[in-house]
Amino acid sequence: MSTIKVDTIKNRGNAINVPNNFKIGGNSIVQGHTVSATEPSSPEKGDFWWDSANNKLYRYINNEFKELGLVAADPFWGGNRALRAGRRGSGVAGSTLNLDYWDITTLGNAADFGDCDNSVNGTNSTSSDHSASNRSRAIVSRNRNSNNTYDYFTIPIPGNSAFFGNALETARSGAGIGDGTYAVFAGGYINGGPTGTGYRNDINVFTIDTTGNASDFGNLRRITGFSGGAGNASRGTIFGGQAYVSSYYYEDEIQYIPLGGVTGNASDFGDMSSGAYRCTAASDATRAVVVLGNAGPNFGGSSPTNKIEYVTVATTGNSTDFGDLNNFNANRTERSAACENETRICISGGETSTSSGTVNEYTNEIMYITTQTTGNAQDFGDLLDGLDQGFSSSGDPS
């Protein structure tokens, strides 16, 4: 072996000129790159090729060009301000649909935000029970019987709701999903209307930043209501619900729909551990978490449950156990509502029933989970009063 020692190099710009490049282990230390519509004919290990015909980048590895790509994180459009609406206290028909809010990042109690407009269809507006949002606006249903109205709240500014537009048909108890641009409302229950009374499978879509009426999106695989909805910028998941084939039953299926400006019918995603009704769901754009609510066999009886399950939105498959709610009375999972920021999901309110099924009280509890870990829910704080039904959304407080 020879050793060369160099103390000084003068005129460095032209001092070293190796026409065939340095090689280490027989491989050139200079990585070539080619821009062309066809694959380079004589590549060397490590060479890059930009396929100008398809706008793709490749690198020559193990005697073949392998495509390189960057996987961008799904954009998250929610925020740290949580909104929660519902019927207060005793739940007497005709009570105002009140709205609370809190900071998801800081444990504590809720404060008053405003009210849902009660001017249309009188007491029926208390059945607003699904919503979708972006960082600045939450669109909420005001749907019951003969009312197909949707309102909106400006999330950074506490105050009452304002009229947004109308759905294609009257319905309540659907699943609401936002992708940052569009609000999608799937399924629900119709009391009267052009298609009669019962659960439905149609999907409506609104543009969140532009007031106006809904457009047709597509159809669910099942005729369902009281489902939970959550997703990311490209896919929405719909969990369970009460469904109808030849008779009514509790659905264990998870359906999914395209988002991001694409419309279409729902497809099969996977299954939950059991049929579930009055679900609520939220997502950090990667993982969608569902509180099962009232669960039971696919075709049979049911009982309230405190189970929480989750799926990875980008990957179809069955849901996985997440943990349990922290309250001992599992009935309180019925009619709860969930919202999120990028790290935490808050689950609030819900209904407690007596053994005979009669409504007894509404809980004022707010719980939370950390979305990217599993485990039981923890105490967050309290709502101003017990809240039943209603909706929960999140956005940017400023």
Side-chain angles (χ1 to χ4, degrees):
M1 182 179 70
S2 300
T3 300
I4 300 175
K5 180 179 179 181
V6 179
D7 293 325
T8 304
I9 298 177
K10 295 182 178 181
N11 300 321
R12 292 185 299 272
N14 299 313
I16 298 177
N17 182 11
V18 182
N20 295 318
N21 299 325
F22 284 113
K23 290 187 177 182
I24 299 176
N27 298 312
S28 174
I29 65 169
V30 178
Q31 295 169 350
H33 66 278
T34 303
V35 178
S36 65
T38 59
E39 183 178 306
S41 59
S42 301
E44 293 193 10
K45 184 177 180 179
D47 283 358
F48 291 95
W49 165 44
W50 175 255
D51 179 359
S52 58
N54 299 296
N55 292 328
K56 293 182 178 182
L57 179 64
Y58 295 84
R59 194 173 190 188
Y60 197 67
I61 303 171
N62 294 335
N63 300 316
E64 64 176 342
F65 276 104
K66 296 184 181 293
E67 184 179 350
L68 304 179
L70 296 176
V71 179
D74 286 309
F76 180 77
W77 51 89
N80 294 329
R81 172 166 288 178
L83 306 183
R84 173 61 159 105
R87 297 181 296 186
R88 286 215 193 283
S90 63
V92 175
S95 60
T96 301
L97 190 69
N98 296 273
L99 187 64
D100 291 0
Y101 76 106
W102 64 89
D103 181 352
I104 298 176
T105 65
T106 305
L107 303 186
N109 297 333
D112 181 61
F113 188 97
D115 299 320
C116 234
D117 185 356
N118 237 16
S119 63
V120 177
N121 210 29
T123 62
N124 289 327
S125 64
T126 60
S127 287
S128 176
D129 57 5
H130 54 276
S131 67
S133 64
N134 59 14
R135 288 189 178 276
S136 60
R137 178 176 283 183
I139 300 178
V140 303
S141 71
R142 187 142 50 90
N143 298 348
R144 175 85 172 194
N145 298 337
S146 60
N147 181 11
N148 65 343
T149 301
Y150 280 77
D151 279 5
Y152 74 95
F153 289 91
T154 303
I155 294 173
I157 306 172
N160 296 340
S161 68
F163 174 70
F164 188 92
N166 294 320
L168 296 178
E169 190 172 7
T170 300
R172 62 183 173 94
S173 305
I177 308 170
D179 66 3
T181 302
Y182 300 99
V184 178
F185 299 105
Y189 184 83
I190 298 170
N191 192 346
T195 60
T197 296
Y199 290 108
R200 68 179 193 176
N201 70 344
D202 61 302
I203 308 171
N204 284 206
V205 58
F206 295 90
T207 301
I208 297 176
D209 285 332
T210 306
T211 57
N213 296 335
S215 300
D216 180 57
F217 185 98
N219 296 109
L220 294 172
R221 285 167 46 84
R222 298 281 192 268
I223 299 172
T224 59
F226 296 98
S227 304
N232 60 23
S234 58
R235 175 177 286 180
T237 51
I238 299 121
F239 295 89
Q242 184 161 337
Y244 182 86
V245 177
S246 57
S247 61
Y248 289 106
Y249 69 100
Y250 291 175
E251 180 64 72
D252 67 345
E253 183 180 34
I254 308 167
Q255 304 177 63
Y256 75 96
I257 55 174
L259 295 177
V262 180
T263 59
N265 296 333
S267 302
D268 179 49
F269 187 97
D271 296 320
M272 297 185 296
S273 63
S274 67
Y277 167 69
R278 292 177 175 168
C279 307
T280 185
S283 171
D284 65 355
T286 302
R287 176 180 285 184
V289 179
V290 58
V291 178
L292 269 63
N294 202 319
N298 293 8
F299 292 87
S302 68
S303 59
T305 179
N306 62 353
K307 293 182 67 173
I308 310 171
E309 298 179 0
Y310 75 94
V311 299
T312 300
V313 179
T315 306
T316 58
N318 297 338
S319 61
T320 302
D321 180 61
F322 188 99
D324 298 323
L325 297 178
N326 70 345
N327 51 7
F328 293 102
N329 188 340
N331 285 346
R332 290 185 175 182
T333 66
E334 289 194 63
R335 301 181 187 269
S336 62
C339 65
E340 70 288 309
N341 66 5
E342 292 187 84
T343 59
R344 183 179 278 178
I345 289 174
C346 288
I347 303 150
S348 59
E351 178 181 298
T352 300
S353 301
T354 63
S355 58
S356 63
T358 304
V359 171
N360 185 36
E361 64 175 287
Y362 302 152
T363 180
N364 68 341
E365 186 174 11
I366 307 170
M367 293 168 275
Y368 78 95
I369 55 176
T370 302
T371 315
Q372 286 300 315
T373 63
T374 57
N376 296 338
Q378 304 297 315
D379 182 60
F380 184 96
D382 294 322
L383 300 166
L384 291 177
D385 199 348
L387 289 179
D388 172 49
Q389 274 182 213
F391 62 85
S392 192
S393 283
S394 61
D396 196 331
S398 59

